[in-house]
């Protein structure tokens, strides 16, 4: 999720001057949305309309079941702003890949490193060894910008285990950084050699990405959710808008009714997707065309004087928009660690308090971390790059140390020490004999007498360890054991009490039908 503050002027030169202070203003790009520089507060407001639904769905509120698509909206905004900056630099002949990554580092890394620095000690205090090892692996993946690939290897974004992963949300940072490893160089080559074909080439790239997304969700939706190829078209949608040669201010003056209707329709598409989409909606897929097109319409036509502009540019919306990157970074660790502390569950008021805490920390981070590191006079390029390299090295060492020490079970004392020691010795059958719905359970992970009666063992992730140890004692027995285990799904006798929103109900129904059939 892009962290640039929306100081997007209507022209690409204005965007560059605002986001990259101290640089000369150059000519407007081919994709100038206007000919005069101006702050665009409605983009700040659009960020607020993106981050708050994400916080809402991760808090478990049912009002906006499609809140996860807030990240898709951020991708569109990011593609639009970054392409404006790149085209301005290319047009003025000052494009530098080093300058580009310096800007990215100033925007992304300081706040990210702060959140990681706070999350690691909390994980030390609250997470049992095997899960702490997993958390440390996610820290490593995050600082090398591969968290989306790391989480793609595991259970899906909407599975119950996801609510206990403090860094799951960093998958979107991985998607963006991988995109921006490729896109600036691609744009430079196109601009240098086939400038007139730049727009067409990106249209083709978008079409290929859409095709990948459609094929991906049909064959492996969990993996498809996290990968760049199926997400690139959302970033490219913003990029194509930035490359579209029209003067939005002039269009607003000539055709105010059209701007009014199109911008409101765009905002309605976004809000409608929040209300109608849910975890069963394939993402990314062509279904995401609605909110993505809505975001493009808002960016293009929400000019001053329109109702959409008024809605998005109010002080509350723009204020939340300015701190949206830090709010996004803080919310998942805060929610996750709170769930670990309050094991009995968190009330609605509790989650509202956590959201308030998230926004409070986001404001402090924006003011005292994000903004200072944007100032080149306070932090030079060499200090920025050197500090980033040092922080990455520290986090890599910390993550690798946790791996080598098997999650550091010695952190715990008393009875919990025994639990931690046991948790450090993890069943090698956790994935092969759990969290799976085979076509048939006949012969599935049966341990013991081949022709004897089979005892079913029902349980959640804790049951996997019990089964493994019991299965190892089956030699010479006249019966066999068979596991029916799913993380977070306690083995209720009445399957109607299982949580359908977490995927437990289908598993329990299949399990019951097989055992009783």
């Amino acid at each position: 999720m892009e962290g640039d503050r929306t100081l997007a002027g209507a022209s690409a030169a204005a965007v560059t001057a605002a986001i990259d202070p101290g640089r000369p203003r150059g000519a407007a790009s081919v994709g100038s949305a206007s000919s005069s520089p101006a702050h665009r507060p409605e983009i700040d407001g659009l960020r607020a309309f993106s981050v708050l639904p994400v916080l809402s769905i991760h808090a478990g509120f049912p009002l906006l079941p499609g809140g996860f698509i807030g990240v898709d909206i951020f991708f569109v905004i990011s593609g639009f702003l970054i392409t404006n900056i790149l085209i301005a630099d290319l047009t003025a002949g000052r494009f530098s890949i080093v300058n580009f990554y310096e800007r990215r580092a100033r925007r992304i890394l300081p706040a990210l490193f702060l959140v990681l620095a706070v999350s690691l000690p909390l994980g030390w205090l609250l997470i049992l060894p095997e899960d702490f090892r997993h958390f440390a692996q996610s820290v490593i993946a995050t600082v090398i910008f591969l968290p989306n690939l790391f989480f793609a290897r595991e259970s899906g974004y909407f599975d119950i285990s996801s609510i206990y992963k403090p860094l799951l949300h960093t998958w979107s940072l991985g998607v963006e950084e991988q995109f921006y490893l490729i896109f600036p160089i691609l744009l430079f080559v196109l601009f240098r050699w086939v400038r007139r074909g730049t727009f067409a080439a990106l249209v083709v790239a978008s079409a290929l990405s859409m095709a990948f997304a459609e094929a991906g969700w049909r064959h492996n939706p969990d993996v498809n959710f996290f990968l760049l190829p199926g997400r690139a078209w959302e970033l490219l949608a913003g990029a194509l808008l930035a490359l579209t040669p029209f003067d939005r201010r002039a269009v607003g003056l000539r055709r105010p009714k059209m701007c009014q209707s199109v911008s409101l329709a765009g905002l309605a598409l976004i809000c409608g997707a929040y209300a109608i989409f849910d975890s069963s909606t394939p993402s990314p897929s062509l279904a995401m065309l609605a909110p993505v097109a809505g975001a493009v319409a808002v960016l293009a036509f929400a000019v001053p004087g329109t109702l959409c502009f008024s809605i998005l540019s109010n002080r509350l919306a723009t204020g939340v928009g300015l701190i949206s990157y830090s709010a996004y970074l803080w919310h998942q660790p805060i929610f996750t660690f709170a769930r670990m502390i309050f094991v009995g569950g968190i009330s609605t008021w509790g989650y509202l308090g956590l959201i308030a805490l998230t926004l409070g920390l986001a404001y402090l981070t924006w003011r005292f971390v994000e903004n200072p590191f944007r100032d080149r006079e306070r932090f030079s390029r060499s200090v920025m790059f050197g500090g980033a390299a040092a922080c990455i090295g520290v986090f890599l060492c910390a993550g690798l140390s946790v791996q080598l020490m098997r999650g550091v079970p010695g952190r715990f004392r008393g009875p919990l020490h025994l639990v931690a020691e046991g948790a450090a010795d993890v069943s090698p059958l956790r994935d092969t004999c759990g969290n799976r719905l085979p076509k048939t359970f006949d012969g599935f992970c049966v341990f013991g007498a081949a022709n004897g009666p089979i005892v079913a063992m029902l349980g959640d992730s804790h049951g996997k360890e019990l089964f493994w140890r019991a299965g190892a004692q089956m030699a010479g027995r006249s019966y066999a054991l068979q596991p029916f285990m799913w993380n977070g799904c306690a083995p209720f006798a009445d399957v109607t009490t299982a949580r359908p929103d977490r995927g437990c109900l289908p598993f329990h129904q299949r399990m019951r039908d097989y055992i009783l059939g």
Side-chain angles (χ1 to χ4, degrees), residues 1 51-59 71 115 157 163 165-172 324-339 351 354-355 357-359 361-362:
M1 194 177 91
V51 74
L52 291 178
V54 173
L55 270 60
S56 173
I57 190 174
H58 287 169
V71 176
V115 171
Y157 180 82
I163 68 174
K165 296 177 181 178
L167 299 181
L168 177 65
H169 63 318
T170 61
W171 71 268
S172 62
S324 58
Y325 173 59
S326 288
Y328 182 79
L329 285 180
W330 279 114
H331 86 279
Q332 179 76 3
I334 287 174
F335 290 3
T336 299
F337 290 125
R339 294 182 187 112
Y351 273 114
L354 293 176
I355 290 175
L357 175 61
T358 296
L359 296 177
L361 288 174

Side-chain angles (χ1 to χ4, degrees), residues 68-73 75-76 148 152 156-158 171-172 175 206-237 277-292:
F68 62 92
I69 66 170
V71 176
D72 303 78
I73 307 304
F75 286 156
V76 178
N148 55 324
Y157 180 82
F158 297 102
W171 71 268
S172 62
V175 168
S206 297
L208 292 174
S209 175
M210 285 185 184
F212 187 96
E214 277 295 294
W217 78 260
R218 286 178 167 83
H219 293 91
N220 198 333
D222 289 341
V223 171
N224 181 58
F225 185 93
F226 294 102
L227 298 187
L228 170 63
R231 295 284 182 183
W233 69 272
E234 297 174 342
L235 290 137
L236 289 171
F277 290 3
D278 58 25
S279 59
S280 66
T281 305
S283 176
S285 69
L286 290 181
M288 295 300 120
L289 272 173
V292 168

Side-chain angles (χ1 to χ4, degrees), residues 104-326:
R104 293 295 296 171
R106 290 180 184 275
R107 292 294 177 183
I108 299 299
L109 297 183
L112 175 62
F113 289 159
L114 173 63
V115 171
L116 293 179
V118 172
S119 297
L120 269 169
L122 287 174
W124 175 280
L125 293 172
L126 297 172
I127 305 178
L128 288 174
E130 182 58 25
D131 291 330
F132 194 47
R133 289 180 63 183
H134 178 276
F135 171 64
Q137 291 168 5
S138 70
V139 170
I140 294 172
T142 298
V143 297
I144 62 174
F145 295 104
L146 296 175
N148 55 324
L149 301 182
F150 173 76
F151 290 114
R153 300 181 305 123
E154 304 179 334
S155 56
Y157 180 82
F158 297 102
D159 290 346
I160 187 171
S161 59
S162 68
I163 68 174
Y164 296 104
K165 296 177 181 178
L167 299 181
L168 177 65
H169 63 318
T170 61
W171 71 268
S172 62
L173 296 183
V175 168
E176 277 207 13
E177 295 317 304
Q178 291 154 28
F179 179 82
Y180 290 126
L181 281 176
I182 303 168
F183 183 68
I185 298 171
L186 172 64
L187 199 60
F188 172 78
V189 172
L190 292 172
F191 203 82
R192 181 78 177 270
W193 302 106
V194 286
R195 184 178 301 194
R196 294 180 180 272
T198 299
F199 191 90
L202 296 185
V203 168
V204 172
S206 297
L208 292 174
S209 175
M210 285 185 184
F212 187 96
E214 277 295 294
W217 78 260
R218 286 178 167 83
H219 293 91
N220 198 333
D222 289 341
V223 171
N224 181 58
F225 185 93
F226 294 102
L227 298 187
L228 170 63
R231 295 284 182 183
W233 69 272
E234 297 174 342
L235 290 137
L236 289 171
L240 289 170
L241 175 62
L243 289 165
T244 302
F246 78 99
D247 189 327
R248 65 187 296 272
R249 187 177 295 257
V251 171
L253 292 173
R254 290 196 307 267
R255 300 191 175 183
K257 291 183 178 179
M258 182 190 74
C259 289
Q260 184 81 272
S261 59
V262 174
S263 61
L264 279 176
L267 192 58
L269 282 173
I270 295 172
C271 294
Y274 286 148
I276 296 172
F277 290 3
D278 58 25
S279 59
S280 66
T281 305
S283 176
S285 69
L286 290 181
M288 295 300 120
L289 272 173
V292 168
V296 169
V298 169
L299 291 171
F301 294 104
V303 298
T306 61
L307 179 58
C308 184
F309 180 90
S310 298
I311 293 171
L312 295 176
S313 62
N314 72 81
R315 292 185 65 181
L316 179 59
T318 56
V320 173
L322 288 176
I323 64 173
S324 58
Y325 173 59
S326 288

